[in-house]
């Protein structure tokens, strides 16, 4: 670009200088446009891949929770106990953390213990569920306010929230299929329709039915992939 403009200046040609500037601007615009477009396309593809991986992971965990509900119950109780112990350690060894948020988180997991007593039956209108949901919102708000006011690395904040705020609710979430499968009305319905007409395909319930519906739609749209699978 400098050589082009220098040649144009020496020959005292204004049209040639303008043409050189226009050519340089077009090249710079094209380079920036291609790079920006590549970044946006790759970013959306990354989000799609992450969503697919999460859906597959949730489907697998929901199947495990429905098949091994006794083991899932023990794991949930261990997770609640571990988070309660961590709250006590944070209260004793981390004085810079807000006591109100620690108290709300501790009370929230005590409410999870109350909710855990009726596992795998989780009634949305029960006092244990409503109390747990309310305290979850309060705990989430208090911790979010604290970390917005005090700078920490994003990875540290996400790890803190993952263990102290989201771990136990996630366990209850993937257990929703176990909850629906244990309901008396659901069991009575499944007693009549355990298998479909064409062959022995066991019907699933709750969270698993949503993932099964997505998989069936995928097989209808891409039959060649379904045959390979």
């Amino acid at each position: 670009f400098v050589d082009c403009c220098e040649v144009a200046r020496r020959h005292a040609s204004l049209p040639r200088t303008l043409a050189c500037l226009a050519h340089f601007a077009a090249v710079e615009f094209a380079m920036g446009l291609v790079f920006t477009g590549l970044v946006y396309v790759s970013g959306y593809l990354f989000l799609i891949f992450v969503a697919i991986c999460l859906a597959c992971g949730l489907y697998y965990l929901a199947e495990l929770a429905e098949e091994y509900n006794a083991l899932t119950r023990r794991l949930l109780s261990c997770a609640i106990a571990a988070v309660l112990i961590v709250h006590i350690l944070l209260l004793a060894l981390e004085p810079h953390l807000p006591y109100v948020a620690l108290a709300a988180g501790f009370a929230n997991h005590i409410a999870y213990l109350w909710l855990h007593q009726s596992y795998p039956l989780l009634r949305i209108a029960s006092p244990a569920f409503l109390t747990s949901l309310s305290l979850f919102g309060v705990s989430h708000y208090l911790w979010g306010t604290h970390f917005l006011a005090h700078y920490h690395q994003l990875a540290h904040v996400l790890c803190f929230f993952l263990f102290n705020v989201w771990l136990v609710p996630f366990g209850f979430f993937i257990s929703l299929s176990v909850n629906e499968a244990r309901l008396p009305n659901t069991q009575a319905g499944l007693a009549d329709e355990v298998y479909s007409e064409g062959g022995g395909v066991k019907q699933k319930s709750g969270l698993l039915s949503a993932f099964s519906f997505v998989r069936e739609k995928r097989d209808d749209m891409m039959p060649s992939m379904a045959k390979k699978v």
Side-chain angles (χ1 to χ4, degrees), residues 99-205:
Y99 294 150
V100 177
L102 287 172
F106 191 88
N108 187 20
H109 285 78
I110 293 296
Y112 289 149
L113 281 177
W114 183 19
L115 181 64
H116 185 262
Q117 292 177 356
S118 61
Y119 184 88
L121 296 179
L122 305 177
R123 297 180 176 84
I124 297 178
S126 65
F129 184 88
L130 296 177
T131 303
S132 301
L133 184 61
S134 301
L135 288 174
F136 172 76
V138 172
S139 177
H140 205 282
Y141 171 77
L142 292 175
W143 284 120
T145 304
H146 169 73
F147 286 112
L148 285 176
H150 301 81
Y151 174 77
H152 292 272
Q153 294 184 9
L154 180 61
H156 295 175
V157 176
L158 290 178
C159 292
F160 183 90
F161 269 88
L162 177 64
F163 188 85
N164 290 305
V165 182
W166 298 333
L167 180 62
V168 177
F170 179 77
F172 282 115
F173 174 73
I174 63 174
S175 303
L176 290 178
S177 59
V178 184
N179 176 41
E180 186 173 343
R182 293 298 181 272
L183 292 176
N185 293 336
T186 305
Q187 289 180 338
L190 291 178
D192 297 331
E193 296 184 47
V194 176
Y195 294 92
S196 60
E197 294 181 359
V201 179
K202 185 179 179 181
Q203 291 196 0
K204 298 183 182 298
S205 59

Side-chain angles (χ1 to χ4, degrees), residues 7-28:
V7 170
R9 185 186 63 80
R10 290 179 179 179
H11 289 81
S13 176
L14 181 60
R16 184 175 297 179
T17 303
L18 294 178
C20 181
L21 291 174
H23 174 73
F24 177 73
V27 171
E28 287 293 323

